[in-house]
Amino acid sequence: MAQLNVAQTARIKGVILDEFNSPIENVSVKIGETGTVTNANGFYSLEIPANKDVTIVFSHVTFKDASLTVNLKTNEDFEFHPVLNSKVTQISEVIVTGDNKKRIEGIIAIDPVLIRKIPGANAGIENIVKTLPGVYSNNELSTSYAVRGGNYDENLVYVNEIEVYRPFLIRSGQQEGLSFTNTDMVESVDFSAGGFQAKYGDKMSSVLDITYRNPKRFKVGVEASLLGGGITAEGISKNQKWSNITGIRYRDNSLLVNSQETETNFRPKFIDIQTLLNFNASTKWNWSFLGNISQNTYNYKPLTRQTNFGTISDPIALLVFYQGQENDEYLTVFGAIKSTYQYNSKNKLKFIASTYHTQEQEYYDILAQYRLGEVDSNIGSETFGDVTFSRGIGSQLNHARNDLDALIFNAETKGFHEINEKTQIEWGFKYTREDIKDRIVEWEVVDSAGFSLPAPILEYQNDQPYNPYTGPLAPYKNVRATNYTTINRFSGYAQWNHRGFLGKHKYWLNAGIRAHQWQVSGRNINGDSQITFSPRVQLSLKPDWENDVLFRISGGMYNQPPFYRELRDYDGVVQPNVKAQKSIHLVLSSDYSFKIWNRPFKLLTEGYYKNITDVNAYTIDNVRIRYRADNNAKAYVYGFDARLNGEFVPGTESWFSFGFLKTEENYNDRGYIARPTDQRLKFGLLFQDYMPNIPNVKVYLNLVYNTGLPGGSPSYADPYDFQLRLKDYRRADTGFSYVFKDEKIKSEKKWLEPFSELSLGLEIFNLFNNQNAITNTWVRDVYTKSQYGIPNFMTTRVFNVKLIARL
């Protein structure tokens, strides 16, 4: 180590880490021509001049340079622990650091800056994930998504390695409000659509792994639009030991909901506060606290609705007049403490404890009185467009008083041990306790042309008005249950990572196993203890070819022990001995990196197959899932995904994605039929551009096309009798932004000096004004006894203005 020959000095020291919190050796730490390098533990120590501004530069051949300017007092001892990011360059060999590690593991990394810029009715991480291959959604008001034939409950979401949850009672996408993740706080986003390692949890479909950033300096960011806004502030203490980033968000979906066909009085309030506090106790020990408070207040009062359908020659309209309202509230509190102990360069331990508490209520009484009739299509008529003849009239009264209180506690420890430069071992052990109190009271009364209709499943004969009905009066739907449920879980994993050579070809091997034991108990509930084992393996091969190609095969067992929703059957009663759904995965993929126009591109292709047993069959209504809770089905999924991404426009990343899948299930050996998530084809496009003559003007396009889902049949119907599909989902959101200043666009204007970024944009949601349906409302024609499926359309074209400012 070199030292400066000065009378008054101070000292700066610390440990330099990469994105995976691994120490980096041989990092150059310099002041001008004087400096030092880090040792094998990533540690450095350097004396610097005191009482003056000094800039220290940290550089390494594999990582982006970082710098720090400080002014220290005489003899001050200052700790600074920078995290270096990998360089985004094409190299001839694959090195297990940075983005290349994600490439080997089959993980897609998403740029957080891209997430904040791309327009969407529900902008955020999920908005971008839905454009990726294998990911399906036909509800722009929801953050929920399905992956490769799975449902919304089969996806893992982590923030800073802590599992997060979504509310239990939400039925409609417009009730969701805010996603848990605050995109303004995000450092990195990784996504895997299947074949992931044993260290990830016990879900069958996907992993979304999000990391919030550790602040390096004071910053403030503000975002405002017609849909709401937010403010984020971050900073770090002078001694670099403490740092904090806090974000507050508010959202109001009125702009979107008011574009739907139903005229409403809609007063939503979605607000949340999140904070991440970090404390570097020493060069070896780090502590952090992640906290979140979120409140959704959803007040909905429908007034009228008119939906026109049918054909040009036979137009039909449904007129609905409403009375009543819906009042929903969701209050969630989340807190987690995480500690990382790096006791030497090759061994690391992590300790995580988290608590999630949600209180949810869903209250509504809504009377819908409808009129189904023929529309006057005579252009010259004074009643053109009006209903002139009624084919059917009726009413529907829906009532609910649902309350839920859930408290979930997690405690886990993880270890990472480097045996040598080629072999690592990872392990973890976790305890989870879920205490859930749930009361569900829902009923529905349907009256058609003055005659009360009993539930179809009761099999009462009712052919009014031709013959009098003599059976008992019964609600069309009636669900009543009170559940006090406790679930204790123990889970753990161990996995082995190794890399080596097959001749001149490089390979990476990961093999691991998960175990999960759980038992359901509670008031009048006594479930059996159950256990599952999930072995998994990944093998990546980098041939010694001139082209940069990587091949990967992964698979194993992906067992999903039931969460609370999966234990509750159609009648709302908890079935404590529901078994884990068991899935055998096989994923084959190739990853080809190349250059066109001297710019980087990548083509990722994957084929996959899943064989699923002990399937817990379900139906989907908007975003609510109801399970049969009997494990009496089996299913399969197979498909193919492809994604081409790169710099189609210099300096910007865009991509095209394509997916094909087929999934069917066999319930009680009645034969195979399409599952509710059998969305056969998917096309996604995310594109960025700028005007060549006006580089300050940026253009963004987010386009998704999905073929229709099953779900066009009545919710009470036997799916073996109804296999109707909804129409294809087509949506394009675009944004135009004028950037006054950012990292690439500089400005000499004095009024812009305080800003590091400032932009003003116009967003157009549903650019082509496509009519996408999420479900059908079924109405009976009393004369012909026909049932009409009237589509419940999603949002129409909507304009939004958005301002982004960062200091």
Side-chain angles (χ1 to χ4, degrees), residues 299-505:
N299 295 320
Y300 177 72
K301 186 176 181 180
L303 301 175
T304 61
R305 165 186 172 181
Q306 177 169 343
T307 301
N308 297 321
F309 63 105
T311 63
I312 296 177
S313 60
D314 185 23
I316 304 174
L318 174 70
L319 298 175
V320 186
F321 301 91
Y322 296 94
Q323 293 181 1
Q325 62 181 339
E326 178 175 353
N327 295 315
D328 301 335
E329 290 187 9
Y330 309 94
L331 174 64
T332 61
V333 180
F334 175 85
I337 296 176
K338 176 182 174 182
S339 178
T340 302
Y341 180 55
Q342 180 91 44
Y343 54 93
N344 59 41
S345 63
K346 295 185 177 182
N347 296 278
K348 178 166 54 179
L349 293 175
K350 294 181 181 180
F351 308 93
I352 302 172
S354 66
T355 301
Y356 174 83
H357 185 208
T358 180
Q359 294 178 309
E360 305 175 18
Q361 75 167 39
E362 182 183 45
Y363 294 174
Y364 57 80
D365 287 283
I366 296 178
L367 172 64
Q369 296 173 307
Y370 71 86
R371 179 185 177 196
L372 180 69
E374 298 177 1
V375 178
D376 185 354
S377 58
N378 186 353
I379 297 178
S381 172
E382 294 181 356
T383 59
F384 174 71
D386 295 337
V387 175
T388 57
F389 175 75
S390 294
R391 291 188 178 183
I393 58 174
S395 61
Q396 176 177 311
L397 175 60
N398 287 281
H399 167 93
R401 293 294 184 270
N402 299 330
D403 293 279
L404 183 140
D405 187 296
L407 179 64
I408 303 174
F409 171 76
N410 292 285
E412 65 180 308
T413 181
K414 298 179 179 181
F416 177 89
H417 310 282
E418 184 175 343
I419 307 304
N420 53 53
E421 63 178 8
K422 293 183 178 181
T423 306
Q424 300 86 35
I425 292 176
E426 297 179 62
W427 57 270
F429 180 78
K430 181 178 181 180
Y431 168 69
T432 301
R433 180 180 175 88
E434 302 160 8
D435 286 308
I436 301 171
K437 301 174 183 177
D438 178 29
R439 182 194 71 168
I440 178 171
V441 178
E442 291 183 16
W443 51 259
E444 177 181 346
V445 176
V446 176
D447 178 284
S448 180
F451 303 101
S452 179
L453 302 181
I457 60 174
L458 298 179
E459 298 181 351
Y460 296 141
Q461 296 297 318
N462 183 357
D463 59 350
Q464 298 179 84
Y466 306 105
N467 292 296
Y469 173 65
T470 59
L473 293 176
Y476 201 69
K477 179 179 70 176
N478 187 18
V479 179
R480 295 173 182 267
T482 300
N483 303 307
Y484 292 83
T485 309
T486 299
I487 309 173
N488 286 289
R489 305 179 188 270
F490 294 92
S491 61
Y493 69 90
Q495 65 180 42
W496 173 73
N497 306 304
H498 181 75
R499 62 189 176 98
F501 286 88
L502 292 173
K504 294 183 179 181
H505 310 300

Side-chain angles (χ1 to χ4, degrees), residues 122-137:
N122 224 326
I125 291 174
E126 295 84 359
N127 180 48
I128 302 299
V129 167
K130 291 175 182 179
T131 68
L132 297 177
V135 183
Y136 297 81
S137 175

